[in-house]
């Protein structure tokens, strides 16, 4: 076998192997999630999130930390006020989201879950709602177009994370 033939076979094997490996790689969304995960601070979690609510909240905190209101608005399940709400949230919580954030998940999360975000550096507290949209994909309710509404501290939430439970079973008095 000549040197040229060997090199040709090696090149063809490399191309075939590359094609096989391409078929085994993650899809774009999975790769984006993995890249995001390694590029951001880990989210501290309290309570019992569903897989969908946890992923959605994690993405929301990442978008806040990135200052990316458009990507945050893209997580909306009802986009009526999503753009204005996302801009409000980024302005109010974006800097704090770059530091430690704890997400306290309330109630069960089969189709909807209330989550309270605790921003350690700023001491801010934000209630959000993750829920399934019409297409059965998880997203956020982004319905706070007024800045005062978007930054209002929930009156029922404990001042510190870790008091998860149903709002209807006494959590509102667990301050």
């Amino acid at each position: 076998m000549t040197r040229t033939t060997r090199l040709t076979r090696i090149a063809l094997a490399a191309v075939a192997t590359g094609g096989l490996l391409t078929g085994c790689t993650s899809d774009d969304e999975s790769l984006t999630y993995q890249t995001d995960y390694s590029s951001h601070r880990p989210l501290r979690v309290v309570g019992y999130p569903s897989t969908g609510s946890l992923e959605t909240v994690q993405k929301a905190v990442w978008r806040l930390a990135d200052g990316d209101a458009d990507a945050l608005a893209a997580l909306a399940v009802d986009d009526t006020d999503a753009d204005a709400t996302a801009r409000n949230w980024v302005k109010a919580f974006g800097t704090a989201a770059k530091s430690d954030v704890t997400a306290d998940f309330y109630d069960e999360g089969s189709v909807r879950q209330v989550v309270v975000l605790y921003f350690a550096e700023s001491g801010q507290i934000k209630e959000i709602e993750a829920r399934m949209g019409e297409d059965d994909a998880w997203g956020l309710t982004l319905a706070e177009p007024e800045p005062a509404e978007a930054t209002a501290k929930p009156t029922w939430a404990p001042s510190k994370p870790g008091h998860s439970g149903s709002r209807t079973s006494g959590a509102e008095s667990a301050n």
Side-chain angles (χ1 to χ4, degrees):
M1 184 178 328
T2 67
R3 182 171 190 258
T4 304
T5 304
R6 265 185 282 166
L7 290 174
T8 302
R9 286 185 179 177
I10 291 171
L12 289 173
V15 168
T17 302
L20 290 174
L21 291 176
T22 301
C24 296
T25 60
S26 301
D27 62 7
D28 288 343
E29 186 174 325
S30 177
L31 183 59
T32 300
Y33 188 84
Q34 291 170 10
T35 302
D36 271 343
Y37 189 85
S38 64
S39 300
H40 295 88
R41 294 182 83 104
L43 179 68
R44 295 173 182 191
V45 176
V46 178
Y48 301 98
S50 69
T51 303
S53 66
L54 175 60
E55 183 176 336
T56 300
V57 170
Q58 180 67 81
K59 287 178 181 179
V61 172
W62 290 338
R63 300 300 73 87
L64 286 170
D66 294 342
D68 192 343
D70 291 336
L72 181 60
L75 294 174
V77 290
D78 178 6
D79 64 0
T80 304
D81 296 316
D83 292 330
T85 301
R87 284 191 305 275
N88 289 335
W89 287 11
V90 166
K91 184 176 180 180
F93 305 104
T95 300
K98 294 177 185 178
S99 214
D100 291 335
V101 179
T102 300
D104 203 343
F105 290 79
Y106 284 78
D107 302 322
E108 66 88 26
S110 59
V111 295
R112 173 184 316 259
Q113 198 156 29
V114 172
V115 182
V116 179
L117 299 177
Y118 293 86
F119 299 91
E121 188 172 290
S122 67
Q124 293 170 289
I125 300 173
K126 174 67 184 149
E127 175 187 358
I128 63 174
E129 180 186 65
R131 67 181 181 90
M132 293 182 77
E134 292 177 11
D135 59 355
D136 290 336
W138 279 88
L140 296 175
T141 301
L142 295 171
E144 300 171 338
E146 298 301 321
E149 181 183 23
T151 59
K153 180 180 174 182
T155 57
W156 62 270
S159 59
K160 297 192 184 311
H163 300 282
S164 288
S166 172
R167 292 191 308 168
T168 58
S169 66
E172 59 272 288
S173 62
N175 289 330

